C-alpha cells in the first residue's frame, strides 16, 4: 500500500528546465570537484570513515571497542556475582570444595542457565540473589553473543584460512578476499570446529579428572553446553570446577553462536532466493510507471535500483520518503538534480 | 573500498542522446501504461504480492503458513519425544506420577533446556536419547522464536490496542496504523505483559498446588523461565506436571522473545542514530561525484537515495552492482533509461 505513493510527483518542477540547464552545469562540476577535495581533506576523510569502515591492522582494530566493552561487563558481572555468593556461601547447599571457587562456579553455572543443582541456594536472600543473577546473566550472554563472539570468530577465520593453505604462501590481501566471499561459510566452519574441540576436551576432562565413564562424560558435556544441566553429573572436584568456570562459559556461548550462524545461513539463503526472484521477474509497464521516482517519465539506472531494492524488501517506502524529503531540502533551485550551487545555498541558509 | 567503483561510468552512452529522446518517449509512455494494467491484471496482482505483503483478514492470514509449520514440528517433536521416553521409562530415575505424563513432562523440560533433574536418564540409551532430544529441542525452540512467536505477538497487538482504547470506538484501520507506527514498542509491551501474567500464574499455581512458600514459588518460576532449572523445586504432583507442560513451553519462549525484542529495540535505536548522522552530515562535492551513479554529471533524486542508503549501511555496493547489471541487460537501446521498447526487446530475446 505504501508503494502507491511513488506515483505522485515528489519533485514538482517542469522537467524541461533541468534538461536545458544540465549540460552546462555538468562541465562546471567536473572541473570543481577535484580541487574541492584538496581544500577540505579533513572533512572528506570524515566522510570516508562514515560510509565504509575500512579494515586496518592497527592495535585499535585488535582491541575492537564493543568486544572490550563486553569483556569488561563480563569481568564486572563475575566479580560482583562471586562476591555476593561468597558472602551468602553458608546459605548455599551442596557439595563444596573451596569458598571463592565455589562462588565463581555457582555464578557461571547460574549466568549460563546451566543450573546443575549441585549447589542450590537455601535461604530467601540467596534464592532472590540467584533470581536476579540469572536474569542479568541471560542479558549479558545475549550481549556477548551479539557483540563479542562474532568478533572472535572473525579473528579465527584468518587463522583457519592460513591453516587451510599452509602448503602455499597466501598473502594477507588474498585471505581477506577469501573471507569476504565466503564469510558466513567460514564462520559456521570455525564455530563447528571450536564446538567439536570443546566437546572432546570436555569429555576427556570429565573422564580423566571427574572419573566418569565415557558415556557419562559425553552425556554431561551435552547436558552442559545446551544449558540443560540435569545435575546428576557435574563438576565436583577442585580441578573440575576451575576447568568448568572457563569451559562452561566458552562452550555454551559457542553452541549458541553456532545456532545463530545456522539461522543466519537460512536467512541468507531465503534472501538470495528472493533476490533471484526479483531479478528474474519480468518488468511490466506498471513497474516502469511505479519506478519513476521523480515522475519525469524516465526510469534511470538509480530509479531502477531503488525500485528493485524495495521489491527485495531491503528498503521500504519510509526510507525512501525520508531521503527524498532531504533531497528536496538540498535541491534549493528545484532543478530536480543536485549541484554545487544547491549545496552552497542549502548549507548557508 | 567498494565505493570507489561508483566513479567509473557504468552505462557508456553519450548523455546528450537521452536528453533529446526523452520528452517524446515520455508522452508515449504515459499513454500506454494505464491500458496495459487492464490487459494483464493477473500479472500485476502477482507483482503486488511480491513487493508488499498486504494485510488481509482472510482465513489464510489467520493461519499464517510458517506458524502452522512450526506448530506442526512442535507436535511431531513432542509426540516422538514422549513415545521414546515412554519406552525407556524404567531407565529414567526420579519421582514419577504417571507414565505418559512423565514422558511429556520430561520431554518439555529437556527441549526447553530447563533440566530440573527431578527426572534423570539412568542408562546409556536414555542418556544418549536425552542428548539427541536436547539438541533438536534447542533448534526447534529457535524455530519457534524466529517464525511462530513473533506472529502470535503481532496478533495480540490488535487486542492490546483495542483494550487500550476501550472507551472510544477505534476502527480497524486506525488500529493497523497505530500498530505500524509503534510496532516494536507494542511488541515489547505485549511480551512484558504476557511475561508478568505467566510469572504471576506460575507463582500462584506453585504456591497453591505444589504447596511451596511464596518465595520458593517465585524462585522456582525464575529458575524455570530462564531455563536455569536447579531442580531443588519443581513440579512433583500430577496436576503440577500437566500445568508444567504448557506453562514451561510458553513462559520460556516468552522470556526469550522478550530478550529478542529488547535486542531489536537497541538495534533500531542505533540504526536511527546512524540515519540521523547520515541525514545531517554535510554533502560535499566529492559526495556529489560519488553519488552520480550513471556518470551523466547529474545527481537525481534516486541517485541521492541510493548513495545515502549505502552510507546508512542499509545496502552495499554488491546489491547496487547486481541491479545495475540487470538494468544494463534490460536497457537494450543503451539510452540510459528504460522504456516499453527496451522491455519488449529484452524480454523477447
Amino acid at each position: 500500500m505504501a508503494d502507491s505513493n511513488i506515483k505522485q510527483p515528489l519533485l514538482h518542477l517542469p522537467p524541461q528546465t533541468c534538461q536545458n540547464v544540465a549540460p552546462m552545469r555538468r562541465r562546471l562540476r567536473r572541473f570543481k570537484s577535484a580541487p574541492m577535495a584538496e581544500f577540505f581533506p579533513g572533512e572528506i576523510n570524515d566522510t570516508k570513515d562514515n560510509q565504509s569502515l575500512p579494515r586496518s591492522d592497527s592495535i585499535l582494530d585488535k582491541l575492537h571497542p564493543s568486544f572490550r566493552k563486553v569483556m569488561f561487563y563480563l569481568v564486572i558481572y563475575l566479580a560482583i556475582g562471586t562476591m555476593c555468593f561468597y558472602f551468602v556461601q553458608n546459605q548455599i547447599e551442596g557439595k563444596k570444595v573451596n569458598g571463592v571457587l565455589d562462588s565463581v562456579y555457582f555464578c557461571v553455572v547460574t549466568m549460563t542457565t546451566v543450573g546443575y543443582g549441585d549447589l542450590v541456594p537455601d535461604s530467601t536472600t540467596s534464592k532472590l540473589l540467584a533470581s536476579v543473577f540469572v536474569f542479568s546473566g541471560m542479558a549479558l550472554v545475549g550481549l556477548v553473543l551479539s557483540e563479542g563472539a562474532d568478533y572472535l570468530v572473525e579473528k579465527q577465520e584468518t587463522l583457519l584460512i592460513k591453516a587451510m593453505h599452509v602448503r602455499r604462501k597466501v598473502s594477507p590481501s588474498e585471505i581477506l578476499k577469501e573471507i569476504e566471499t565466503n564469510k558466513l561459510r567460514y564462520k559456521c566452519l570455525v564455530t563447528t570446529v571450536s564446538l567439536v574441540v570443546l566437546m572432546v576436551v570436555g569429555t576427556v576432562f570429565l573422564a580423566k579428572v571427574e572419573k566418569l565413564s565415557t558415556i557419562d562424560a559425553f552425556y554431561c558435556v551435552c547436558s552442559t553446553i545446551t544449558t540443560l544441566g540435569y545435575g546428576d553429573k557435574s563438576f565436583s572436584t577442585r580441578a573440575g570446577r576451575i576447568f568448568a568456570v572457563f569451559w562452561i562459559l566458552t562452550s555454551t556461548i559457542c553452541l549458541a553462536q553456532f545456532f545463530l550462524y545456522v539461522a543466519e545461513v537460512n536467512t541468507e539463503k531465503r534472501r538470495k532466493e528472493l533476490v533471484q526472484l526479483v531479478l528474474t521477474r519480468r518488468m511490466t509497464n506498471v513497474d516502469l510507471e511505479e519506478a519513476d521516482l521523480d515522475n519525469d517519465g524516465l526510469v534511470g539506472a538509480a530509479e531502477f535500483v531503488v525500485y528493485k531494492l524495495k521489491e527485495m524488501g531491503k528498503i521500504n517506502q519510509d526510507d525512501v520518503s525520508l531521503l527524498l524529503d532531504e533531497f528536496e531540502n538540498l535541491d534549493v533551485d528545484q532543478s530536480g538534480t543536485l549541484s554545487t550551487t544547491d549545496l552552497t545555498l542549502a548549507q548557508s541558509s
Side-chain angles (χ1 to χ4, degrees), chain A residues 80-107 118-127 129-130 133 238 241:
Chain A
I80 296 176
T82 307
M83 220 149 62
C84 288
F85 292 123
Y86 185 75
F87 282 122
V88 296
Q89 69 182 114
N90 52 354
Q91 295 165 36
I92 291 174
E93 214 183 47
K95 178 151 175 41
K96 294 182 186 176
V97 294
N98 172 294
V100 179
L101 181 56
D102 288 345
S103 305
V104 196
Y105 172 72
F106 182 71
C107 192
D118 51 353
L119 289 174
V120 286
D122 196 31
S123 72
T124 305
T125 318
S126 57
K127 278 173 189 172
L129 216 50
F133 271 92
R238 199 190 172 100
R241 291 200 173 169

